[in-house]
Amino acid sequence: MKRIFDLILSILALFLLSPIILFVAWKIKENLGSPVIFRQTRPGKNGKPFNMIKFRTMKDVLDIDGNPLPDTERMTSFGNKLRNSSLDELPELWNVVKGEMSLVGPRPLLMQYLPLYSDEQERRHEVRPGVTGWAQINGRNAISWEEKFKLDVWYVDNRTFLLDIKILLSTVKKVFIKEGISAEGHVTIEPFTGQTQQGNGDE
């Protein structure tokens, strides 16, 4: 039922939002150049890698060694507006159509975090990652990694169709009030380093 719901709603959203998606793509091309899409390998269900797509929000600026500059130096006011409105997430609807993501689930993080999780935290990969999730409506990037992981695992253990509906409706509200977009002092949130607490690596 969840997969059917995901498929129908994501296809409908892509159709209804296509004018907005095309407009955002044009504005990114105008402000940041090509490419307009940001692609990155992320862990999906059971940790299986997939290519997640988002709208690009940062400039491609490298240091003298060819490494990307810190996010704070690559982020623009235009990119901030995209993130604050969550419009940069719209292409992920295609990942939902392909079955790589769900509308609701733990957010797909970076591949390099996989070895850093505790056994309990790793359970967030028992379901498909989501465009939004329980952690996103309960603090998003304004909460600690530890809190975020606990919320992700709680969702895995308590997920229902009605809970997904609640999360989707709450997400719409959070987008409008622009709450929890970033952690203090960071463009989004500080990197997860696998620091431990009582023997467990926390996000």
Side-chain angles (χ1 to χ4, degrees):
M1 182 176 179
K2 180 179 175 72
R3 176 60 188 149
I4 294 173
F5 176 76
D6 280 346
L7 191 58
I8 293 174
L9 198 58
S10 56
I11 290 174
L12 182 62
L14 281 170
F15 175 74
L16 294 177
L17 297 173
S18 57
I20 296 175
I21 292 172
L22 291 173
F23 176 75
V24 172
W26 172 66
K27 293 299 290 184
I28 293 172
K29 174 75 172 178
E30 186 178 58
N31 284 270
L32 300 176
S34 296
V36 299
I37 293 293
F38 171 76
R39 302 172 187 271
Q40 190 173 56
T41 303
R42 299 286 179 97
K45 186 176 180 181
N46 299 320
K48 181 180 178 181
F50 74 99
N51 287 320
M52 188 186 77
I53 58 173
K54 299 175 64 174
F55 277 130
R56 188 158 71 97
T57 58
M58 297 186 186
K59 295 182 293 184
D60 287 329
V61 183
L62 307 177
D63 62 20
I64 58 174
D65 297 318
N67 300 311
L69 292 177
D71 289 356
T72 51
E73 297 183 41
R74 294 189 295 127
M75 180 61 72
T76 65
S77 59
F78 171 74
N80 264 324
K81 289 176 183 177
L82 280 183
R83 290 200 176 197
N84 290 342
S85 65
S86 295
L87 289 173
D88 62 315
E89 308 283 356
L90 289 179
E92 290 170 33
L93 291 169
W94 182 243
N95 288 122
V96 177
V97 171
K98 292 170 66 179
E100 297 163 333
M101 293 179 66
S102 176
L103 291 173
V104 178
R107 285 291 296 166
L109 300 175
L110 300 177
M111 293 297 295
Q112 57 260 42
Y113 291 172
L114 287 177
L116 305 178
Y117 297 140
S118 68
D119 290 342
E120 180 69 8
Q121 292 164 352
E122 195 172 9
R123 294 191 57 231
R124 68 194 306 277
H125 296 294
E126 291 177 7
V127 298
R128 286 188 182 93
V131 177
T132 186
W134 187 238
Q136 277 58 54
I137 67 167
N138 285 285
R140 196 174 175 179
N141 289 325
I143 59 176
S144 69
W145 284 111
E146 180 181 17
E147 292 172 300
K148 189 178 296 189
F149 282 150
K150 286 180 179 177
L151 291 168
D152 286 342
V153 174
W154 184 92
Y155 172 79
V156 170
D157 290 334
N158 296 275
R159 63 192 187 277
T160 64
F161 179 72
L162 290 179
L163 178 60
D164 281 5
I165 296 296
K166 175 183 177 180
I167 291 171
L168 288 171
L169 293 176
S170 295
T171 297
V172 174
K173 177 183 175 183
K174 295 286 183 180
V175 166
F176 279 107
I177 63 177
K178 298 178 174 62
E179 193 174 73
I181 301 295
S182 61
E184 186 175 351
H186 296 271
V187 172
T188 52
I189 190 172
E190 73 277 12
F192 174 50
T193 60
Q195 294 176 345
T196 61
Q197 184 177 58
Q198 296 180 349
N200 293 325
D202 301 319
E203 179 184 11

